[in-house]
Amino acid sequence: MDQIIHHLKNSNNVLLASHINPDGDAIASLLSMGILLDTLNKQTTVYNQSPIPSRHRFLPSVQRIVQNVNSGNYYDTAIILDCGDLQRIGKAAVTVNRIPVVINIDHHITNTRFGDFQLIDTSACATVEIIYRLFKKMDVPINLSAATSIYTGILTDTGSFRFSNTNRAAFEICAEMAALGVDPYYAAKHIYGTYSLGQLKLINLAIESIEISQNGKLSLMTLTQSMLYETGTLPEDINGLISYIKNIENIKLAVLIQEQMDGKEKSTQPQRGQRFHVSLRSDETVDVAAIAASFGGGGHPRAAGFSIESKVVDLKKRIFSLAETL
Ligand code: AMP
Ligand code: MN
Ligand code: MN
């Protein structure tokens, strides 16, 4: 950490990036780290390839997140947040490879230790827990904007203090952020408060898609682009649906297959692609980080994922064959 702090103090132009399809922690890490660098009077580009889901747009200074970066030689430092490997940031990985110093701040067990400096703590409940420690170590005051992001990163990555990564620090840091003025009700209202009728209809389709393995230990949910089209919802609306199949009694491994858009970023027509994002969740007996890694992805022991090109029937077959090992 000391080396990283030393380097941060000497940097001038910094690129901050986190993983595509960002969750609360990926967004909150960008924003809180951005504030820390503002305090040090650094120039920053705060980047994420994907649009920011609406439930996270209440976060202070969220509008500073951009979807484009300058050329690699513009920056002296890149800080990659909440990413197990560099490719997780998406297209800008090419740019980052040209930046002289790359700092990797993360909490994924599958982290490949890319970059020149690493600040990896797999026991941290969220990447913002590590950033909180940076604030403390550097004696930078946590303003209300930074506190709101740190609180939200922990709230979302721990599934509101329910997931197995919920540690003592989660409560201690969130209590401190509340003391600094964060309103837990305000944050919860934005993140969990409301849903559209389309989102409710998507839940209905998602529940209809559920399949259970013969031994009753594996649950599978499949979401297609046409389901999103039919209900007028966005990929971000899929977030959280996996909990329904994870919490079915006796389930040890829950799998959500999500059909990806074929090529184009946006389309008004339903698309049929052969590319899927697969989310994995488990109880304490199954290490899904290892399963995801065997498919070229990564994550945490109880929550992991991967992307794959395959026919859906073949993918389902491979997934159901996992049930026999449970
Ligand atoms: P998700 O299923 O997308 O909610 O992701 C669960 C966890 O797995 C998160 O911590 C992700 O960062 C991680 N993860 C998801 N997809 C990938 C991937 N393709 N490669 C590496 N890690 C992933
Ligand atoms: Mn994340
Ligand atoms: Mn995280």
Side-chain angles (χ1 to χ4, degrees), residues 32-106:
S32 52
M33 198 66 203
I35 292 168
L36 187 128
L37 292 172
D38 292 344
T39 319
L40 303 177
N41 289 316
K42 306 299 177 187
Q43 294 288 328
T44 54
T45 300
V46 184
Y47 169 83
N48 194 285
Q49 182 178 307
S50 312
I52 304 302
S54 61
R55 65 183 168 282
H56 292 124
R57 282 191 221 130
F58 77 99
L59 288 169
S61 72
V62 70
Q63 66 288 347
R64 76 188 287 188
I65 301 176
V66 294
Q67 285 180 280
N68 288 300
V69 293
N70 294 318
S71 72
N73 52 18
Y74 176 82
Y75 304 102
D76 53 67
T77 306
I79 306 178
I80 312 301
L81 300 157
D82 201 40
C83 291
D85 63 83
L86 180 59
Q87 303 313 315
R88 292 278 290 146
I89 67 170
K91 288 181 236 157
V94 185
T95 305
V96 170
N97 279 325
R98 296 200 198 102
I99 300 177
V101 174
V102 177
I103 300 174
N104 167 359
I105 303 180
D106 186 39

Side-chain angles (χ1 to χ4, degrees), residues 19 23 25-26 82 108 157:
H19 63 80
D23 48 32
D25 189 31
D82 201 40
H108 290 90
D157 248 28

Side-chain angles (χ1 to χ4, degrees), residues 19 21 23 82-85 88 107-108 110 157 239 242 258 277-281 292 296-300 303-307:
H19 63 80
N21 304 321
D23 48 32
D82 201 40
C83 291
D85 63 83
R88 292 278 290 146
H107 68 133
H108 290 90
T110 51
D157 248 28
N239 192 286
I242 197 168
Q258 192 182 328
H277 178 74
V278 180
S279 295
L280 306 170
R281 301 290 184 271
H300 308 286
F306 62 90
S307 291

Side-chain angles (χ1 to χ4, degrees), residues 109-166:
I109 194 142
T110 51
N111 193 289
T112 58
R113 309 197 67 83
F114 65 88
D116 303 290
F117 298 104
Q118 297 85 17
L119 198 50
I120 298 162
D121 179 0
T122 57
S123 69
C125 63
T127 298
V128 288
E129 178 184 334
I130 306 170
I131 295 173
Y132 164 87
R133 299 198 194 295
L134 259 182
F135 269 90
K136 292 288 166 177
K137 189 80 193 271
M138 295 178 78
D139 231 359
V140 174
I142 299 177
N143 64 18
L144 182 57
S145 298
T148 305
S149 279
I150 292 170
Y151 179 91
T152 302
I154 293 177
L155 181 73
T156 53
D157 248 28
T158 62
S160 305
F161 311 102
R162 288 172 302 166
F163 298 159
S164 59
N165 59 337
T166 308

